[in-house]
Amino acid sequence: MKVLILGSGVIGVTSAYYLARAGHEVTVVDRQPEPALETSFANAGEVSPGYSSPWAGPGVPVKAVKWLLMKHGPLVIRPKLDPVMWVWLLKMLRNCTSARYAVNKSRMIPIAEYSRDALRDLRRDIGIQYDERSQGTLQLFRHQSQLDGTAEDIAVLKQYGVPFEVLSREGCIAVEPALGSVKEKFVGGLRLPQDETGDCHMFTQSLAKHAQALGVRFLFNTGIDRIVTDGARVSGVATSAGLLQADAYVLALGSWSPRLVAPLGISLPVYPVKGYSITVPIKDASGAPESTVMDESYKVAITRLGNRIRVGGTAEISGYSDKLYDARRATLDHSLTDLFPRGGDLAKATFWSGLRPMTPDGPPVIGPTQYANLHLNTGHGTLGWTMSCGSGRVLADMLSGKKPDIDVSALTVDRYKHRFG
């Protein structure tokens, strides 16, 4: 088939690669001049299937009040006269129960685990390079209450056979030696040894070149205006380069996806939740993290990417604004200097923000719509990098008429009305 993919972030490019590998004629269109220049550009760098959890969880409403009052809190809400924002927040609150958290997490871990395995296959098959490390993720707890509150997460990890280690202070230092100089600032951690790290932007740009070698055509600097339908099918996409037509269409525009399908009668509850990051040159390698350390108190991930440290965090609900706020950078600076004071040269850091496409329950939306030739691959939230290869591979199987290797029935668009109410 001829397949047109809207979006050249990590989700769009992985979809293109796997579709081309399956023998389809693929075109990718994007308003940017090259791949991965928006949300995929400078994320936290984690490939963390074991840490795949919904933001909506038990106790979050109470925690949210505390977070909003913290100087370096992980949550920011900038109220707007936007009913979509408030409906999305209400739906998220509905999912803040133990039962829904367990169900939602159980829907996220399989696609994340499958995706990590698909990423490993890519490394073996095409030798792709992206500052990868396979040394696990350490969730670091500053307070005993945080360590004591891991029971529900551990239960789900056990259910899906995800290896984990509960570590004492000394155990944390054994896997992240640089923490030895600040050992009084934490009590222990939860380590997920099979998690990985890597530069999502570097990966996506490299995979796009491999996709081009398979025949994928990229149309950059091309604005996407609307999807044109003819009865029960999509007949084309109106763009700044004219009407583009194909046999099948894949929507992988992240946070912008709902706006494009709303005129088609598809209510897609994906909303942008802005995240921030700084990228810091390593000053002292012995004082830098070995892999990813998740500072649980501030929900900040500190990741080693080659000769750089990527520090990512914050959930800012402020619509489609990409404005950079100095207060958000202060949180990232604080977490890094508090845990790895010798590691990076903050004076040379770069500051960035991206709009994460989040569903109120957590899992992404992957699969067909009410239009026979329109598929979605969006709503991955903070886990687009983690879930990208698996999502692209599953989608390629669906469009090729093959049964995916894993059961994704709970993620398909047919189910989202049930999921979101």
Side-chain angles (χ1 to χ4, degrees), residues 108-152:
M108 297 169 75
I109 286 181
I111 183 68
E113 291 267 310
Y114 177 66
S115 187
R116 184 207 51 222
D117 293 344
L119 178 58
R120 290 175 175 174
D121 290 343
L122 276 185
R123 288 205 300 271
R124 183 194 66 226
D125 295 343
I126 63 176
I128 192 166
Q129 301 290 318
Y130 52 94
D131 278 344
E132 172 268 334
R133 286 190 171 217
S134 300
Q135 294 177 238
T137 295
L138 175 63
Q139 188 177 7
L140 197 69
F141 302 120
R142 293 175 181 264
H143 308 290
Q144 188 63 39
S145 60
Q146 295 171 331
L147 187 58
D148 295 340
T150 59
E152 289 189 5

Side-chain angles (χ1 to χ4, degrees), residues 21 42 92 114 121 133 148 159 208 275 322 345 356 360 392 398:
R21 202 172 73 171
M92 182 178 177
Y114 177 66
D121 290 343
R133 286 190 171 217
D148 295 340
Q159 178 184 351
D322 60 359
D345 186 353
R356 309 180 187 105
M398 288 179 173

Side-chain angles (χ1 to χ4, degrees), residues 153-272:
D153 281 336
I154 287 174
V156 177
L157 294 174
K158 288 180 177 178
Q159 178 184 351
Y160 285 90
V162 179
F164 68 91
E165 301 168 340
V166 178
L167 301 179
S168 64
R169 179 183 286 121
E170 291 72 24
C172 293
I173 295 169
V175 296
E176 288 287 354
L179 291 173
S181 65
V182 294
K183 60 184 179 181
E184 73 283 355
K185 296 188 176 180
F186 59 92
V187 298
L190 175 64
R191 182 170 181 257
L192 304 172
Q194 291 193 354
D195 283 4
E196 302 180 0
T197 59
D199 188 318
C200 181
H201 174 253
M202 186 185 296
F203 169 85
T204 307
Q205 294 229 326
S206 179
L207 190 65
K209 293 177 182 177
H210 285 281
Q212 283 180 308
L214 293 175
V216 174
R217 178 186 177 212
F218 287 87
L219 296 179
F220 293 117
N221 298 304
T222 303
I224 300 168
D225 299 325
R226 70 185 187 280
I227 296 174
V228 182
T229 61
D230 179 12
R233 296 179 64 84
V234 172
S235 57
V237 176
T239 75
S240 59
L243 185 69
L244 303 178
Q245 294 182 297
D247 301 312
Y249 302 82
V250 176
L251 183 60
L253 286 175
S255 295
W256 301 94
S257 300
R259 292 188 168 187
L260 204 61
V261 297
L264 308 183
I266 299 174
S267 178
L268 183 60
V270 171
Y271 197 77

Side-chain angles (χ1 to χ4, degrees), residues 49 76 129 193 197 291 302 342 420:
V76 177
Q129 301 290 318
T197 59
S291 186
I302 305 171
R342 297 181 292 107
F420 303 124

Side-chain angles (χ1 to χ4, degrees), residues 60-71:
V60 164
V62 174
K63 291 177 183 177
V65 175
K66 176 185 175 183
W67 291 335
L68 290 169
L69 297 174
M70 287 171 59
K71 179 182 179 181

